[in-house]
Amino acid sequence: MCTKCGGCCSNFPFVELSEGDIERLKAFTGWKAEIFSDSDQGSVSRRFLRFQEDGSCVFLEKDSGVATCNVYEARPEICRTYPFTPSQDRVCEATWRSSIAALAGKLGG
């Protein structure tokens, strides 16, 4: 169950984008790839998603504790399939459980 905490969209060391991801994001946003991604400057041209100063995805918007993906319909493939490993699923579940416990505490439960 997604709590819209934005944890899965924050503090990743890198998110590599495929050509399909880049084309989909360009079409959706009308932006050049250089606005939302960086090149690794290596011998093979690879592009990585940019992040905001706080470590969250350039497309993530947070308002009153609720995180929203501004390109949800065009989001990269890795975002579409997350969580796709047992360890990622446990992180999401732990975040969900801590959010429920915090809410219960606020409500006196």
Side-chain angles (χ1 to χ4, degrees):
M1 170 180 231
C2 180
T3 63
K4 297 192 177 283
C5 71
C8 57
C9 306
S10 302
N11 301 312
F12 279 86
F14 64 89
V15 173
E16 187 169 358
L17 299 172
S18 69
E19 280 298 316
D21 292 334
I22 292 169
E23 292 306 314
R24 197 168 44 253
L25 289 166
K26 283 171 41 179
F28 188 82
T29 64
W31 297 353
K32 293 181 180 181
E34 292 77 16
I35 294 174
F36 59 81
S37 65
D38 292 311
S39 172
D40 72 350
Q41 303 299 320
S43 59
V44 177
S45 181
R46 296 175 11 187
R47 298 210 64 86
F48 297 90
L49 193 61
R50 283 194 175 175
F51 291 90
Q52 299 176 48
E53 286 186 27
D54 69 355
S56 60
C57 173
V58 68
F59 296 118
L60 187 69
E61 183 177 315
K62 295 179 186 175
D63 184 29
S64 301
V66 176
T68 304
C69 176
N70 287 325
V71 294
Y72 186 82
E73 296 84 356
R75 68 196 184 280
E77 192 62 32
I78 193 169
C79 303
R80 293 169 184 267
T81 58
Y82 187 91
F84 57 87
T85 66
S87 65
Q88 290 171 341
D89 199 34
R90 283 190 298 274
V91 168
C92 264
E93 183 178 343
T95 301
W96 176 74
R97 289 186 189 282
S98 66
S99 296
I100 294 299
L103 180 60
K106 286 181 183 178
L107 297 176

